[in-house]
Amino acid sequence: MPILPGLGAPMTPRIGVTGLTRAVSGARPQRSELRLRAQRASCRRNPLILSPLLGPELAGQVVESVDGLLLTGGDDMDPSHYGEAPHPSLDPIDPQRDAFELAVFRAARERQVPTLAICRGFQLVNVALGGTLWQDLPSQRPAEIDHRQKGARNDRSHRVEVVPQTMLAQALGATQLEVNSFHHQGIRKLASGLRVSALSPDGLPEGLEQEAGPAWLLAVQWHPEEFHAEAESPDLGLFQALVREAKRASTAARQDQWK
Protein backbone atom coordinates (compact mmCIF):
# COMPACT_ATOMS: atom_id res chain seq x y z
CA MET A 1 0.00 0.00 0.00
CA PRO A 2 1.52 3.37 -0.99
CA ILE A 3 2.79 5.87 1.57
CA LEU A 4 3.19 9.55 0.72
CA PRO A 5 6.69 10.94 1.29
CA GLY A 6 7.03 12.39 4.76
CA LEU A 7 3.85 10.79 6.04
CA GLY A 8 3.53 7.58 8.00
CA ALA A 9 -0.10 6.79 7.15
CA PRO A 10 -0.74 4.37 4.30
CA MET A 11 -3.08 5.55 1.55
CA THR A 12 -6.26 3.57 0.90
CA PRO A 13 -8.01 3.74 -2.46
CA ARG A 14 -11.07 5.94 -2.82
CA ILE A 15 -13.98 4.19 -4.54
CA GLY A 16 -16.58 6.40 -6.21
CA VAL A 17 -20.07 4.87 -5.89
CA THR A 18 -22.82 6.28 -8.11
CA GLY A 19 -25.99 7.25 -6.26
CA LEU A 20 -29.62 8.27 -6.73
CA THR A 21 -31.66 11.44 -6.32
CA ARG A 22 -34.85 9.72 -5.17
CA ALA A 23 -36.03 7.56 -2.29
CA VAL A 24 -35.55 3.78 -2.44
CA SER A 25 -38.12 1.65 -0.59
CA GLY A 26 -39.05 4.61 1.59
CA ALA A 27 -35.47 5.50 2.56
CA ARG A 28 -34.10 9.01 2.21
CA PRO A 29 -32.48 9.70 -1.19
CA GLN A 30 -29.08 8.02 -1.62
CA ARG A 31 -28.89 6.52 1.90
CA SER A 32 -29.96 3.03 0.82
CA GLU A 33 -27.84 3.22 -2.32
CA LEU A 34 -24.72 3.97 -0.31
CA ARG A 35 -25.51 1.30 2.27
CA LEU A 36 -26.19 -1.48 -0.22
CA ARG A 37 -23.62 -0.63 -2.84
CA ALA A 38 -20.73 0.37 -0.62
CA GLN A 39 -20.77 -0.64 3.06
CA ARG A 40 -22.46 -3.99 2.59
CA ALA A 41 -20.76 -4.76 -0.68
CA SER A 42 -17.22 -4.89 0.69
CA CYS A 43 -16.22 -1.57 -0.91
CA ARG A 44 -15.23 -0.18 2.46
CA ARG A 45 -12.06 1.44 1.16
CA ASN A 46 -13.03 5.12 1.42
CA PRO A 47 -16.33 4.92 -0.53
CA LEU A 48 -17.52 8.26 -1.90
CA ILE A 49 -21.10 8.58 -3.11
CA LEU A 50 -21.29 10.40 -6.44
CA SER A 51 -24.56 12.32 -6.75
CA PRO A 52 -26.10 12.97 -10.18
CA LEU A 53 -26.84 16.45 -8.83
CA LEU A 54 -23.20 17.29 -9.54
CA GLY A 55 -24.00 17.23 -13.26
CA PRO A 56 -22.00 15.97 -16.25
CA GLU A 57 -19.95 19.18 -16.35
CA LEU A 58 -18.12 18.07 -13.22
CA ALA A 59 -17.55 14.49 -14.34
CA GLY A 60 -13.87 15.02 -15.01
CA GLN A 61 -13.24 16.55 -11.59
CA VAL A 62 -15.26 13.79 -9.93
CA VAL A 63 -13.19 11.07 -11.56
CA GLU A 64 -9.94 12.79 -10.66
CA SER A 65 -10.91 12.47 -6.99
CA VAL A 66 -11.30 8.65 -7.00
CA ASP A 67 -9.09 5.63 -7.59
CA GLY A 68 -11.90 3.26 -8.59
CA LEU A 69 -15.49 3.55 -9.83
CA LEU A 70 -18.56 1.47 -8.96
CA LEU A 71 -21.55 1.96 -11.29
CA THR A 72 -24.64 0.82 -9.39
CA GLY A 73 -28.07 -0.53 -10.32
CA GLY A 74 -31.31 1.38 -10.68
CA ASP A 75 -33.68 2.79 -13.29
CA ASP A 76 -33.86 1.98 -16.99
CA MET A 77 -31.75 4.12 -19.29
CA ASP A 78 -33.41 6.46 -21.75
CA PRO A 79 -33.43 4.49 -25.04
CA SER A 80 -32.68 7.69 -26.94
CA HIS A 81 -29.05 7.07 -25.93
CA TYR A 82 -29.01 4.15 -28.35
CA GLY A 83 -31.33 5.59 -30.99
CA GLU A 84 -34.67 4.00 -30.06
CA ALA A 85 -38.11 5.21 -29.06
CA PRO A 86 -39.44 4.13 -25.65
CA HIS A 87 -41.04 0.69 -25.44
CA PRO A 88 -44.48 0.55 -23.75
CA SER A 89 -42.94 -1.51 -20.90
CA LEU A 90 -40.09 0.91 -20.25
CA ASP A 91 -39.68 1.63 -16.54
CA PRO A 92 -39.23 5.22 -15.27
CA ILE A 93 -36.07 6.90 -16.49
CA ASP A 94 -33.84 9.52 -14.89
CA PRO A 95 -32.29 11.77 -17.57
CA GLN A 96 -30.19 13.59 -14.98
CA ARG A 97 -28.64 10.35 -13.77
CA ASP A 98 -28.10 9.09 -17.33
CA ALA A 99 -26.21 12.24 -18.33
CA PHE A 100 -24.05 12.25 -15.21
CA GLU A 101 -23.13 8.57 -15.23
CA LEU A 102 -22.39 8.46 -18.95
CA ALA A 103 -20.03 11.41 -18.50
CA VAL A 104 -18.42 9.88 -15.40
CA PHE A 105 -17.88 6.54 -17.12
CA ARG A 106 -16.34 8.12 -20.19
CA ALA A 107 -14.07 10.25 -18.02
CA ALA A 108 -13.05 7.14 -16.11
CA ARG A 109 -12.10 5.42 -19.36
CA GLU A 110 -10.00 8.40 -20.43
CA ARG A 111 -8.19 8.45 -17.09
CA GLN A 112 -7.90 4.64 -16.89
CA VAL A 113 -9.80 4.41 -13.61
CA PRO A 114 -10.70 0.77 -12.71
CA THR A 115 -14.46 0.28 -13.00
CA LEU A 116 -16.94 -2.30 -11.74
CA ALA A 117 -20.50 -2.03 -13.10
CA ILE A 118 -23.63 -3.70 -11.67
CA CYS A 119 -27.04 -4.29 -13.34
CA ARG A 120 -28.00 -0.83 -14.68
CA GLY A 121 -24.28 -0.06 -14.68
CA PHE A 122 -23.70 -3.19 -16.79
CA GLN A 123 -26.21 -1.89 -19.33
CA LEU A 124 -24.84 1.66 -19.19
CA VAL A 125 -21.34 0.45 -20.04
CA ASN A 126 -22.65 -1.28 -23.16
CA VAL A 127 -24.66 1.76 -24.25
CA ALA A 128 -21.83 4.21 -23.54
CA LEU A 129 -19.52 2.21 -25.80
CA GLY A 130 -22.02 2.00 -28.66
CA GLY A 131 -24.16 -1.04 -27.89
CA THR A 132 -27.95 -1.39 -27.56
CA LEU A 133 -30.43 -3.00 -25.17
CA TRP A 134 -33.55 -5.12 -25.22
CA GLN A 135 -35.95 -2.67 -23.62
CA ASP A 136 -38.24 -5.42 -22.30
CA LEU A 137 -37.04 -9.01 -22.28
CA PRO A 138 -40.41 -10.71 -21.69
CA SER A 139 -42.00 -9.14 -24.77
CA GLN A 140 -38.98 -8.66 -27.06
CA ARG A 141 -36.92 -11.75 -26.19
CA PRO A 142 -39.15 -14.35 -24.50
CA ALA A 143 -37.36 -17.13 -22.59
CA GLU A 144 -38.05 -19.66 -19.87
CA ILE A 145 -35.97 -17.76 -17.34
CA ASP A 146 -37.66 -14.96 -15.42
CA HIS A 147 -34.94 -12.35 -15.11
CA ARG A 148 -37.07 -10.29 -12.73
CA GLN A 149 -37.30 -12.68 -9.81
CA LYS A 150 -40.07 -12.40 -7.26
CA GLY A 151 -38.10 -13.65 -4.24
CA ALA A 152 -35.82 -11.96 -1.72
CA ARG A 153 -32.92 -9.83 -2.89
CA ASN A 154 -30.41 -12.47 -1.81
CA ASP A 155 -32.24 -15.43 -3.38
CA ARG A 156 -30.21 -17.07 -6.15
CA SER A 157 -32.70 -17.68 -8.95
CA HIS A 158 -30.69 -18.91 -11.95
CA ARG A 159 -27.27 -20.12 -13.02
CA VAL A 160 -24.61 -18.30 -15.01
CA GLU A 161 -21.77 -19.91 -16.92
CA VAL A 162 -18.53 -17.93 -16.70
CA VAL A 163 -15.99 -18.12 -19.50
CA PRO A 164 -12.77 -19.67 -18.14
CA GLN A 165 -9.59 -17.58 -18.01
CA THR A 166 -11.46 -14.28 -18.08
CA MET A 167 -11.10 -11.43 -15.59
CA LEU A 168 -14.56 -12.34 -14.30
CA ALA A 169 -13.59 -15.97 -13.70
CA GLN A 170 -10.45 -14.82 -11.92
CA ALA A 171 -12.36 -12.39 -9.68
CA LEU A 172 -15.05 -14.91 -8.78
CA GLY A 173 -12.76 -17.90 -8.49
CA ALA A 174 -15.47 -19.89 -10.29
CA THR A 175 -16.79 -20.67 -13.76
CA GLN A 176 -20.34 -21.45 -12.67
CA LEU A 177 -22.55 -19.94 -9.97
CA GLU A 178 -26.13 -19.19 -9.04
CA VAL A 179 -27.07 -15.51 -9.07
CA ASN A 180 -30.00 -13.23 -8.27
CA SER A 181 -31.82 -11.37 -11.04
CA PHE A 182 -33.74 -8.07 -10.97
CA HIS A 183 -33.86 -6.70 -14.51
CA HIS A 184 -36.23 -6.70 -17.47
CA GLN A 185 -33.68 -5.32 -19.93
CA GLY A 186 -30.54 -6.89 -21.36
CA ILE A 187 -27.76 -6.67 -23.91
CA ARG A 188 -29.02 -6.71 -27.49
CA LYS A 189 -26.11 -5.47 -29.64
CA LEU A 190 -22.74 -5.85 -27.92
CA ALA A 191 -20.55 -2.74 -28.02
CA SER A 192 -17.25 -2.86 -29.84
CA GLY A 193 -14.30 -3.53 -27.54
CA LEU A 194 -16.30 -5.59 -25.05
CA ARG A 195 -16.39 -9.35 -24.65
CA VAL A 196 -19.08 -11.46 -23.02
CA SER A 197 -17.58 -13.30 -20.04
CA ALA A 198 -20.74 -14.92 -18.63
CA LEU A 199 -24.09 -16.16 -19.97
CA SER A 200 -27.39 -17.24 -18.45
CA PRO A 201 -28.86 -20.57 -19.65
CA ASP A 202 -31.05 -18.70 -22.17
CA GLY A 203 -27.97 -17.13 -23.78
CA LEU A 204 -28.37 -13.63 -22.33
CA PRO A 205 -25.06 -11.91 -21.46
CA GLU A 206 -24.50 -11.71 -17.69
CA GLY A 207 -20.86 -10.61 -17.61
CA LEU A 208 -18.84 -8.14 -19.68
CA GLU A 209 -15.24 -7.03 -19.72
CA GLN A 210 -12.91 -5.15 -22.01
CA GLU A 211 -11.19 -7.12 -24.76
CA ALA A 212 -7.94 -5.22 -24.40
CA GLY A 213 -6.55 -2.00 -23.00
CA PRO A 214 -4.81 -0.57 -19.95
CA ALA A 215 -7.95 0.27 -17.92
CA TRP A 216 -9.62 -2.49 -15.86
CA LEU A 217 -13.34 -2.86 -16.61
CA LEU A 218 -15.69 -5.55 -15.32
CA ALA A 219 -19.51 -5.62 -15.42
CA VAL A 220 -22.17 -8.06 -14.22
CA GLN A 221 -25.93 -8.11 -14.76
CA TRP A 222 -26.82 -9.49 -11.32
CA HIS A 223 -26.55 -7.81 -7.88
CA PRO A 224 -23.49 -9.25 -6.07
CA GLU A 225 -23.78 -6.69 -3.26
CA GLU A 226 -26.85 -8.52 -1.96
CA PHE A 227 -24.62 -11.44 -0.86
CA HIS A 228 -22.52 -9.31 1.49
CA ALA A 229 -23.50 -11.49 4.48
CA GLU A 230 -22.13 -14.67 2.86
CA ALA A 231 -18.52 -14.75 4.00
CA GLU A 232 -17.59 -17.38 1.40
CA SER A 233 -19.61 -15.91 -1.48
CA PRO A 234 -17.67 -15.82 -4.77
CA ASP A 235 -19.46 -12.54 -5.50
CA LEU A 236 -17.37 -10.73 -2.89
CA GLY A 237 -14.38 -11.34 -5.14
CA LEU A 238 -15.74 -8.74 -7.55
CA PHE A 239 -15.43 -5.97 -4.96
CA GLN A 240 -12.09 -7.26 -3.76
CA ALA A 241 -10.85 -7.15 -7.35
CA LEU A 242 -12.03 -3.55 -7.76
CA VAL A 243 -10.25 -2.48 -4.57
CA ARG A 244 -7.11 -4.33 -5.62
CA GLU A 245 -7.10 -2.67 -9.05
CA ALA A 246 -7.82 0.73 -7.49
CA LYS A 247 -4.84 0.28 -5.17
CA ARG A 248 -2.67 -0.60 -8.12
CA ALA A 249 -3.85 2.42 -10.09
CA SER A 250 -3.39 4.82 -7.17
CA THR A 251 0.09 3.45 -6.49
CA ALA A 252 1.11 3.97 -10.11
CA ALA A 253 -0.32 7.50 -10.15
CA ARG A 254 1.50 8.53 -6.98
CA GLN A 255 4.76 7.04 -8.17
CA ASP A 256 4.46 9.17 -11.32
CA GLN A 257 3.60 12.21 -9.19
CA TRP A 258 6.71 11.88 -7.02
CA LYS A 259 9.22 11.10 -9.74
Side-chain angles (χ1 to χ4, degrees), residues 123-231:
Q123 296 166 6
L124 182 140
V125 163
N126 189 59
V127 170
L129 296 177
T132 66
L133 304 176
W134 296 107
Q135 290 191 49
D136 184 60
L137 291 171
S139 61
Q140 293 183 308
R141 190 185 183 276
E144 293 182 0
I145 292 179
D146 183 1
H147 287 277
R148 202 172 225 174
Q149 70 185 52
K150 306 302 188 295
R153 298 287 298 183
N154 61 347
D155 283 352
R156 296 182 182 268
S157 62
H158 72 76
R159 187 181 73 256
V160 297
E161 298 287 344
V162 182
V163 179
Q165 299 181 342
T166 56
M167 292 194 303
L168 180 57
Q170 182 179 9
L172 292 169
T175 55
Q176 184 180 101
L177 75 160
E178 297 290 321
V179 302
N180 54 9
S181 193
F182 298 96
H183 62 103
H184 77 115
Q185 299 194 319
I187 303 300
R188 186 170 189 171
K189 173 190 171 186
L190 183 67
S192 176
L194 294 178
R195 65 177 296 191
V196 175
S197 51
L199 291 168
S200 61
D202 61 2
L204 193 70
E206 294 275 346
L208 298 175
E209 56 192 63
Q210 62 183 13
E211 285 191 315
W216 186 88
L217 171 62
L218 198 56
V220 295
Q221 181 63 83
W222 68 94
H223 280 274
E225 77 279 5
E226 300 294 351
F227 305 117
H228 63 88
E230 299 180 19

Side-chain angles (χ1 to χ4, degrees), residues 10 28 43-44 68 85 87 118 154 175 257:
R28 290 196 310 177
C43 263
R44 299 185 178 90
H87 186 276
I118 292 170
N154 61 347
T175 55
Q257 178 183 356

